[in-house]
Amino acid sequence: MNEASKKKNIWKIITMVALAVAFIACTAMVYMMNRPPVKEIVKETVTVEITPAPTAAPAPTPEPTAPLSLWTEGALAKDALTAYMDMVTSQGVGYIPPEDRIAVFDLDGTLFCETDPVYFDYSLLLYRVTQDPDYVDKASDFERETARKIQDMILTGKSAKGLEVDHGRSVASAFAGMTVPEFEAYCKMFRDLPARGYEGMTIGEGFYRPMLQVVDYLVANDFKVYVVSGTDRLIVRGIVKDSLLPVPAEQIIGSDETLVARQQGEADGLDYVFTDGDDVVLGGEFIVKNLKMNKVTVILQEIGKQPVLSFGNSTGDASMAEFVTSNNPYPSMAFMLCCDDEVRENGSASKAEKMEKLCAEYDWVPVSMKDDWTTIYGDGVTRKATPDNVIFDIPIDSESVAPAA
């Protein structure tokens, strides 16, 4: 392209730009001449005032609850347990692999009230024989005699010889024919009744709150917790299911009675085949009372490992405590509750003193309910000055009562 052509193109571009600017200027002048006055615009404008929603203050972050907050500062048992936990969960001397962290707990008097006015399972049988309108007239004389012995125990504080076995036999027969869910539902019904000796809780709410914290503390540190109780296994399941105690049914061990198929009749289990539409029911025969040495046996049978922690409250738990702490390849400890609180709980200073002496003798760690706990059953629960009556007339044909086995 020559110089003349270049100049010609430049002037074309300049001319086009000038025309565009002129067009825009003319359009603007026309708009300004024809627009309504500013006041009119203001008059015609609708002003909507929007008030911003108040900003909610952020919710305060709850303070974390200390693992054993219901235990008093300086409590020997609390300090012993926390020091133990630091040792067994830290890599080094004393470390225990999670799969071997096993703790066993007794139930009555260790996790749960046993003095309202007696053990839960004793109270359950007493209710069945003396107050259950569907069973009172069906109870056998042996069951009535066992109920009378339980009443004597309530009145005197002394247990008749052989009562543990008599009670087991009576529970097995008194609930024979019930399916396992029916029996569990019966136990749950009973646990929901008001506690006889306490205001502000049901029977089933009678868990020791500081001991529930111990269970939570162990579970949080990868311990597997078992309940190893002298109470009937199925009764314990009824107490624990949907309760404050986070232990599944498969980790509950207790006394046992037979279970059979409803249509089995007299046939042996080796000969009978369970069929569609059949049910498993309580068979009516007592098998074993899970106390003392029997606890050691059943731990090996059902858990298959030596636990490293034991919690109990009586000589019925002594074998379990000694088994846990004897020849253990891991650090191990046994704790025993002492029922020394006679204000918030139906305690016994004399029984507590005996347990304290046993703790000193066997190197168990004593737990004082009076001194080590800030509460027992939680706020709003108080011990009644006069417990509800549990003593009833029990007609018995003494000649027909079978002697204890």
Side-chain angles (χ1 to χ4, degrees):
M1 181 181 294
N2 58 31
E3 189 67 24
S5 297
K6 286 183 179 179
K7 289 182 178 180
K8 187 177 179 180
N9 288 335
I10 291 173
W11 280 109
K12 282 184 179 180
I13 294 172
I14 292 173
T15 301
M16 292 176 65
V17 171
L19 288 172
V21 171
F23 175 78
I24 293 171
C26 290
T27 303
M29 287 178 65
V30 172
Y31 171 77
M32 293 296 292
M33 291 173 65
N34 294 290
R35 71 170 184 165
V38 175
K39 288 184 178 180
E40 291 182 9
I41 294 175
V42 173
K43 287 181 181 179
E44 294 175 1
T45 302
V46 177
T47 303
V48 178
E49 183 177 348
I50 300 176
T51 304
T55 303
T61 302
E63 292 293 329
T65 303
L68 301 176
S69 61
L70 300 180
W71 291 67
T72 58
E73 288 301 320
L76 171 66
K78 174 183 177 180
D79 292 345
L81 182 58
T82 54
Y84 174 86
M85 191 64 68
D86 289 342
M87 175 177 61
V88 302
T89 58
S90 301
Q91 292 290 342
V93 178
Y95 176 76
I96 301 177
E99 63 270 19
D100 291 328
R101 297 177 194 171
I102 297 173
V104 287
F105 287 76
D106 173 53
L107 180 72
D108 296 275
T110 301
L111 291 169
F112 189 71
C113 177
E114 73 172 1
T115 54
D116 188 33
V118 285
Y119 312 114
F120 181 98
D121 57 345
Y122 278 31
S123 297
L124 181 72
L125 179 70
L126 198 58
Y127 173 85
R128 178 74 162 166
V129 172
T130 65
Q131 295 176 267
D132 184 344
D134 294 328
Y135 193 74
V136 169
D137 294 335
K138 302 175 185 177
S140 69
D141 282 329
F142 179 76
E143 293 163 3
R144 293 191 179 101
E145 174 64 14
T146 300
R148 186 187 62 76
K149 290 178 180 178
I150 293 172
Q151 289 188 343
D152 289 345
M153 179 180 175
I154 294 170
L155 294 171
T156 66
K158 297 179 181 180
S159 176
K161 184 178 180 180
L163 179 57
E164 298 97 333
V165 174
D166 288 349
H167 169 264
R169 292 175 57 195
S170 295
V171 166
S173 61
F175 295 97
M178 279 191 180
T179 64
V180 173
E182 287 170 348
F183 187 38
E184 182 180 274
Y186 192 97
C187 294
K188 291 178 70 176
M189 174 279 298
F190 182 71
R191 81 178 191 190
D192 290 339
L193 297 176
R196 302 167 189 78
Y198 298 88
E199 296 283 1
M201 75 176 187
T202 63
I203 297 172
E205 292 171 337
F207 287 96
Y208 301 149
R209 297 306 192 270
M211 292 304 294
L212 293 179
Q213 285 193 328
V214 170
V215 173
D216 290 340
Y217 181 52
L218 295 179
V219 172
N221 283 279
D222 298 322
F223 271 77
K224 194 168 186 178
V225 171
Y226 288 84
V227 173
V228 183
S229 174
T231 297
D232 183 287
R233 181 196 306 261
L234 300 180
I235 294 177
V236 179
R237 288 180 182 175
I239 296 171
V240 172
K241 187 174 182 179
D242 300 325
S243 75
L244 299 171
L245 183 63
V247 177
E250 62 269 22
Q251 290 166 220
I252 292 174
I253 301 169
S255 298
D256 284 314
E257 73 271 9
T258 55
L259 295 173
V260 298
R262 188 186 299 279
Q263 301 175 33
Q264 184 172 338
E266 297 299 321
D268 188 86
L270 295 174
D271 301 322
Y272 182 81
V273 177
F274 190 89
T275 59
D276 184 29
D278 211 341
D279 285 314
V280 176
V281 299
L282 277 66
E285 299 295 327
F286 178 62
I287 299 174
V288 64
K289 187 68 175 179
N290 189 41
L291 285 175
K292 302 179 180 179
M293 179 58 200
N294 288 345
K295 289 196 173 190
V296 176
T297 303
V298 77
I299 285 171
L300 284 176
Q301 289 173 331
E302 301 204 18
I303 301 177
K305 287 185 177 182
Q306 185 178 17
V308 295
L309 286 176
S310 171
F311 296 84
N313 78 306
S314 72
T315 53
D317 306 311
S319 289
M320 181 170 73
E322 285 298 281
F323 172 65
V324 166
T325 56
S326 298
N327 302 314
N328 203 314
Y330 295 118
S332 58
M333 298 185 74
F335 294 78
M336 286 287 189
L337 271 65
C338 301
C339 55
D340 54 358
D341 196 316
E342 298 178 308
V343 175
R344 300 176 297 179
E345 161 74 5
N346 293 321
S348 169
S350 60
K351 289 182 179 179
E353 184 178 355
K354 291 178 181 178
M355 178 50 67
E356 288 168 358
K357 290 180 178 178
L358 288 173
C359 287
E361 180 181 351
Y362 289 97
D363 200 25
W364 302 330
V365 180
V367 176
S368 168
M369 298 175 73
K370 179 177 69 175
D371 298 329
D372 292 352
W373 296 350
T374 61
T375 184
I376 295 182
Y377 299 112
D379 296 337
V381 178
T382 56
R383 180 185 172 196
K384 291 181 181 179
T386 304
D388 296 344
N389 178 53
V390 293
I391 306 300
F392 300 91
D393 291 332
I394 305 175
I396 299 172
D397 180 359
S398 59
E399 293 183 0
S400 67
V401 176

